[in-house]
Amino acid sequence: MTSATYRTLLRAPGAAAFFLTATAGRLGIAMTGLGIIWLVHGRTGSYAEAGLVTGAFAVAEALAGPQLARLIDRFGQTRVLPPALLAHTIAVVSLLVLAGNGSPHGPLTAAGALVGATIPQLGALSSARWSALLRGEHAEALPTAFALESLGNGLCYLAGPALVTAVGASSNPAHGMVLATSLVVGGGLGFAAQRRTAPPTAGAAQRKHAGRSLLRPGFAVQVGVNLALGLYFGAMQVSVTAFAVERGAANAAAPLYVVSNCAGLLAGWLYGLRRWPGTPRVQLAVVSAGMAVSCLPLLAIGSFPAMGLALAVTGLAVPPTLVLSSVLTAAAVDRAALTQAFTWLNSASAAGAAGAAALSGRAVDVYGASGGFAAAAAATGTMAVLAAAHARAARGRRINSGLPPRRPTS
């Protein structure tokens, strides 16, 4: 396992089963937000109301996700997932019924929030299983496992919105939500059924100590990195669209997003194929610095080909950043709180994306697309500073303790 490839990882006992079922569920999760928009708009004819319900879904998902993860860390994945999935099904059915009956926006918004509060973060649960599976002498394979997770997540969020849009546009808008929920529940139940790879639960004393590990500086830095990455995502969504609209070709925004996403998928796949020099902290500092530098040309680019190239370059840094952040989180947090930790990273990214969408929207109104790209550059610059400071502090602690600096790993 120390020189693991994707194939050898998936050949580990039970690995393919939990990874594939979690990926099926994640595809449904990637469809749910847009599925709500199609459902509510199709029933009410109002994008404002659809946006309100979807916003309630996103906020509830970000806030309730870590609390559900805390229950999972305490009682185990196989015990908590089935009732959570039942609650999610009831919430979706409530939303479908309310939307079908033309209910006012208050109950619809509450139902949307309930859908978000009950949706399980299967990506975090899958990452926790990899961390439990690859322990001790197999720990060096964790970057490859997290790269595989990044690939699965990227493919789901590339295919999911396209799939739910195709279903919602060609048939009853409710069908997209039904398909999304079927994938979430089916994938989640299949995942929960894989008992032999489920992480063990901890005792009361271990849980108390594990909870305190979420306050460690190393984990706080990773939350900050993911918050900054979310700010980057949110700013780029607004800015790329504004760039295309300013040049009279609004339809060009979609191909630009595809270029960036495909570059990220390629980078994630390549990153997981080998061990790279430097410790994870140093690698994160280097990758985030490169991402910050690559954002600067976006402020001055005026053509679509140049913009596509620049977005591809910036997209290359995203998967390694996510992989390294997961590796450092697994090292910083006690195993009894890993599900919570990975879920907090997701929530931080979601919060950053939501906040950046509003802030960069104002910047675009005042300064045009370049104002939004400046916000994205500021976010990546902040991420680079956090990563560099963390790497420097870790090196200083080793020197002060009398230990030599760690040698790069190959």
Side-chain angles (χ1 to χ4, degrees), residues 76-383:
Q77 295 181 355
T78 58
R79 292 180 62 186
V80 176
L81 260 182
L85 291 167
L86 175 61
H88 180 66
T89 303
I90 294 172
V92 173
V93 170
S94 300
L95 179 62
L96 289 169
V97 171
L98 290 170
N101 292 337
S103 298
H105 69 269
L108 277 177
T109 302
L114 188 59
V115 171
T118 55
I119 196 166
Q121 297 301 316
L122 294 174
L125 271 62
S126 185
S127 294
R129 290 205 181 199
W130 284 119
S131 298
L133 184 64
L134 303 175
R135 302 179 66 175
E137 62 182 14
H138 302 316
E140 289 187 19
L142 265 182
T144 303
F146 290 143
L148 183 63
E149 286 290 309
S150 177
L151 281 171
N153 200 57
L155 287 171
C156 287
Y157 279 88
L158 190 61
L163 180 58
V164 75
T165 296
V167 173
S170 62
S171 62
N172 189 318
H175 291 170
M177 274 301 295
V178 172
L179 177 58
T181 306
S182 299
L183 286 168
V184 173
V185 174
L189 289 176
F191 181 86
Q194 313 302 316
R195 294 179 177 273
R196 65 174 174 171
T197 53
T201 56
Q206 288 176 300
R207 289 197 303 269
K208 184 177 180 181
H209 183 267
R212 290 197 295 266
S213 72
L214 294 174
L215 302 177
R216 291 173 183 167
F219 177 63
V221 168
Q222 299 316 311
V223 171
V225 165
N226 280 265
L227 178 63
L229 194 59
L231 289 168
Y232 162 81
F233 287 141
M236 291 297 284
Q237 287 176 351
V238 175
S239 306
V240 171
T241 301
F243 178 86
V245 170
E246 286 175 0
R247 284 151 184 81
N251 291 336
L256 290 175
Y257 289 129
V258 171
V259 167
S260 178
N261 290 336
C262 288
L265 288 173
L266 177 62
W269 175 67
L270 292 174
Y271 182 82
L273 290 179
R274 56 162 291 184
R275 299 278 74 78
W276 297 86
T279 65
R281 290 186 183 89
V282 172
Q283 288 185 44
L284 182 59
V286 171
V287 170
S288 57
M291 190 176 184
V293 171
S294 68
C295 277
L296 296 178
L298 298 174
L299 303 176
I301 287 174
S303 68
F304 285 110
M307 179 57 69
L309 178 61
L311 289 175
V313 173
T314 57
L316 292 174
V318 173
T321 300
L322 293 171
V323 171
L324 290 164
S325 182
S326 296
V327 170
L328 291 169
T329 295
V333 176
D334 287 350
R335 295 187 181 277
L338 265 182
T339 308
Q340 296 176 67
F342 288 132
T343 306
W344 274 117
L345 297 186
N346 293 341
S347 294
S349 182
L359 294 174
S360 59
R362 291 190 177 186
V364 167
D365 286 340
V366 176
Y367 302 105
S370 59
F373 287 130
T380 55
T382 301
M383 183 170 62

Side-chain angles (χ1 to χ4, degrees), residues 10-73:
L10 291 174
R11 284 177 176 172
F18 81 71
F19 173 72
L20 293 176
T21 52
T23 300
R26 272 184 291 192
L27 179 61
I29 293 172
M31 297 168 62
T32 301
L34 193 54
I36 292 175
I37 291 178
W38 277 101
L39 172 67
V40 177
H41 177 263
R43 294 291 187 262
T44 66
S46 170
Y47 279 111
E49 190 159 344
L52 183 64
V53 177
T54 306
F57 160 82
V59 170
E61 181 185 15
L63 293 178
Q67 312 314 317
L68 180 59
R70 185 178 181 182
L71 291 175
I72 289 172
D73 279 332

